[in-house]
Amino acid sequence: MGRRRQSVTIKHVAADAGVSLQTVSRVINKEPNVRPAMKERVQASIDKLGYVPSIAAQRMSGSRSYLILAINDRDRTIADWRARDGRDWVDQMLLGGMLTAAERGYRMIFELIDTHSDHVERELGAAIAALQPDGVIVTPPHSENPQITGLLAENGIPFARIGSKEDGPGIAMTMGDELLAGKATDHLIELGHMRIGFIAGPDEYSLAGWRTDGWREAMGNAELDCEDLLEQGDFGFESGLAAAQALLDRENPPTAIIASSDQMALAALDVAKERGLDVPRDLSIVSFDNTPIVRFATPSLTAVDQPIARTAARAVELLIDFNKHGAPQAPVVVEGELIVRASTARAPTRSRT
């Protein structure tokens, strides 16, 4: 039986180059005050031995952990996974965050935290103590939870608050929800729709309010009435059913509906079909999120694409560079786009007369 090949460690590099472990660590971490000749000598040994730096080796410098921690709510995430209904928030976070972290010599770790008020400090505190991350990404609605942001600030850990524009510690980041809701509304207005209903998300998410504001502003700019065209859901399918039914029960129902999540948009599509309405001939539907499932709906849904991967990637970059540049003064906006598919069309003739 062949012998298992011994992996190359930082000790092998140090011995081959004839330098200390600390010197090799400083070269790996691209730290200043290392003579060019010494850098070349250590790098030659790294190349010769095929050494791949480990986080343990990088940590020897003592100033950084080379870990970025992304946290999400345990209950919500597990419920989404078990439902298997097409939500891909975590996948997109990992896609953007992990790849960008790896490009910079870091690793991103994703942790599920019980963010209920009586558990969050204990659980988040334990994760911070165990991992000692160089930065933390907090997702909505927890990005505006003062227990979470306060704990991170008290520990002096840089953090990015996705879905938050509030003043305070950390890096505020948004995905341009208000602008994108306006784009979706403008798209329908250009198609001749004058009665455009909106299904908002829950109040605990600031972004739900921003989306409603974007719809209202676009309707106002076109001198169209918003009265009696707003319903609220909780981003889930069942709430979307109730909201769509309420909108279509109006004496003068909308000819188009924008839903603040894919699940609520799919619910609106089901309600339309149950009532014998053709989408998009009788009713146009626009969704937020653009998760994979909306492409396979019948018809495929026009959707606002949330740039989750790009936002996570930008958050990682900002956290890695935090010690050099600090937090941006204004909220960082990573704007998505409107993907037009088959669920939107010219408004019915009756609505334009």
Side-chain angles (χ1 to χ4, degrees):
M1 186 174 181
R3 293 180 62 188
R4 182 179 176 182
R5 184 179 177 183
Q6 185 179 14
S7 61
V8 178
T9 69
I10 189 173
K11 292 182 180 179
H12 295 118
V13 175
D16 187 78
V19 299
S20 68
L21 294 176
Q22 288 74 18
T23 298
V24 177
S25 178
R26 286 198 295 271
V27 173
I28 291 170
N29 295 323
K30 297 180 175 61
E31 294 185 10
N33 303 321
V34 180
R35 289 181 285 115
M38 186 62 71
K39 288 182 181 178
E40 292 179 9
R41 183 171 164 185
V42 172
Q43 190 60 51
S45 293
I46 289 173
D47 295 340
K48 171 185 170 184
L49 299 174
Y51 172 67
V52 177
S54 68
I55 288 179
Q58 290 173 305
R59 281 183 163 186
M60 286 186 66
S61 66
S63 60
R64 288 176 285 180
S65 69
Y66 291 88
L67 292 176
I68 300 296
L69 173 64
I71 63 171
N72 216 36
D73 180 78
R74 176 183 286 117
D75 289 347
R76 292 173 188 267
T77 305
I78 291 174
D80 287 348
W81 284 343
R82 285 178 173 161
R84 302 182 70 180
D85 56 13
R87 293 183 176 96
D88 66 343
W89 174 276
V90 173
D91 291 348
Q92 291 298 309
M93 285 280 294
L94 296 177
L95 171 64
M98 283 188 165
L99 293 181
T100 303
E103 289 171 1
R104 300 286 296 270
Y106 279 66
R107 295 293 181 269
M108 188 178 91
I109 295 178
F110 199 89
E111 284 281 316
L112 299 182
I113 301 292
D114 186 347
T115 52
H116 295 99
S117 60
D118 53 342
H119 296 290
V120 63
E121 290 188 15
R122 182 184 71 244
E123 293 216 358
L124 182 54
I128 290 170
L131 299 171
Q132 298 179 11
D134 290 332
V136 175
I137 300 173
V138 190
T139 57
H142 312 298
S143 46
E144 294 184 330
N145 182 330
Q147 284 185 289
I148 294 174
T149 58
L151 181 62
L152 294 171
E154 288 171 11
N155 282 272
I157 300 173
F159 59 97
R161 299 181 278 120
I162 295 178
S164 174
K165 294 190 288 189
E166 289 184 348
D167 292 334
I171 301 168
M173 302 187 71
T174 80
M175 290 181 275
D177 295 86
E178 189 169 346
L179 294 170
L180 292 171
K183 282 187 178 181
T185 309
D186 288 340
H187 167 66
L188 293 168
I189 292 171
E190 290 168 2
L191 290 173
H193 294 275
M194 302 175 67
R195 296 277 295 168
I196 301 172
F198 194 88
I199 304 177
D203 292 335
E204 65 179 309
Y205 288 80
S206 289
L207 58 82
W210 303 335
R211 294 174 186 179
T212 304
D213 291 342
W215 163 73
R216 286 188 187 278
E217 183 177 0
M219 292 288 280
N221 290 340
E223 298 183 345
L224 296 177
D225 191 4
C226 291
E227 190 67 28
D228 204 31
L229 287 172
L230 177 65
E231 289 290 332
Q232 187 172 38
D234 61 9
F235 291 143
F237 187 85
E238 293 300 324
S239 72
L241 290 175
Q245 287 165 352
L247 286 172
L248 294 176
D249 280 342
R250 301 286 201 263
E251 184 177 347
N252 185 13
T255 61
I257 293 175
I258 301 172
S260 199
S261 76
D262 285 343
Q263 293 299 313
M264 295 194 297
L266 290 168
L269 181 60
D270 274 10
V271 170
K273 290 179 178 179
E274 288 173 3
R275 294 180 177 226
L277 299 175
D278 180 86
V279 176
R281 186 187 64 211
D282 302 317
L283 178 71
S284 287
I285 298 176
V286 178
S287 176
F288 259 85
D289 296 335
N290 195 38
T291 53
I293 196 170
V294 301
R295 299 199 306 272
F296 306 111
T298 304
S300 58
L301 293 183
T302 293
V304 170
D305 184 70
Q306 292 279 274
I308 301 164
R310 287 194 289 117
T311 303
R314 185 65 183 132
V316 167
E317 292 173 344
L318 290 166
L319 291 171
I320 291 174
D321 294 335
F322 186 87
N323 288 335
K324 293 181 182 177
H325 307 299
Q329 295 300 306
V332 176
V333 180
V334 183
E335 189 178 334
E337 59 182 325
L338 180 68
I339 308 297
V340 178
R341 298 194 181 95
S343 67
T344 52
R346 294 290 300 173
T349 303
R350 62 177 173 79
S351 71
R352 303 196 300 268
T353 59

